[in-house]
Structures are given as structure tokens and as C-alpha cells.
Amino acid sequence: MRAKMQQKIIDVCDRKIAQKGDGVGVSFYAFFANKNDDPEQLMEVATWWIKTHKLDHFEKAVKIRNMIISEA
């Protein structure tokens, strides 16, 4: 996954955790605008989320942030 996208995921997770606490969940759609303006990157994240890691639709933001950090 691209470094810029990894940083965006970390930033979004950090923001959601700060707003709602450690129990907040996220979907991979949380990292994109409502309109699909970058389908290639959406598929890249979806592949990482669904195919590579076999994650549920919603996961804890803390878990996702930690996974991204450990892979960087």
C-alpha cells in the first residue's frame, strides 16, 4: 500500500479514536470521499483489508492503526 495512503489511514484512525475512544470501529470506506474519485487506490485498500487480512467490514480503529504502523 502506498505510504501516503498508510499515513492517511493512521490520521483518520487517530482522529476517530480521539473523538470517540478506543472502541470506535472503522470500515475501509472511512478513508475515502463519498464519491469514488480514485478507484485504483480504493481497490488497493480493499484488497489489503479483505483479501490480504480477511478483516470484517468494521474493525476497531486501534487495530487498523496498529496493523498499518507494524507494516510500515
Side-chain angles (χ1 to χ4, degrees):
M1 188 182 321
R2 301 172 206 172
K4 185 176 179 180
M5 189 66 206
Q6 288 176 326
Q7 188 57 54
K8 182 175 184 178
I9 291 171
I10 291 168
D11 293 344
V12 169
C13 287
D14 284 343
R15 187 175 66 247
K16 289 191 174 285
I17 293 164
Q19 290 171 345
K20 298 187 178 187
D22 287 345
V24 67
V26 292
S27 137
F28 67 86
Y29 291 114
F31 314 115
F32 296 93
N34 284 339
K35 73 178 198 172
N36 188 5
D37 57 357
D38 192 349
E40 186 177 307
Q41 191 144 342
L42 176 66
M43 290 306 297
E44 193 175 308
V45 175
T47 299
W48 179 90
W49 191 287
I50 297 167
K51 248 183 148 175
T52 304
H53 294 288
K54 298 178 180 17
L55 298 170
D56 289 337
H57 184 76
F58 281 96
E59 293 286 348
K60 301 290 184 204
V62 171
K63 175 182 178 178
I64 299 303
R65 181 190 64 202
N66 291 341
M67 288 174 71
I68 294 291
I69 290 170
S70 72
E71 291 181 11

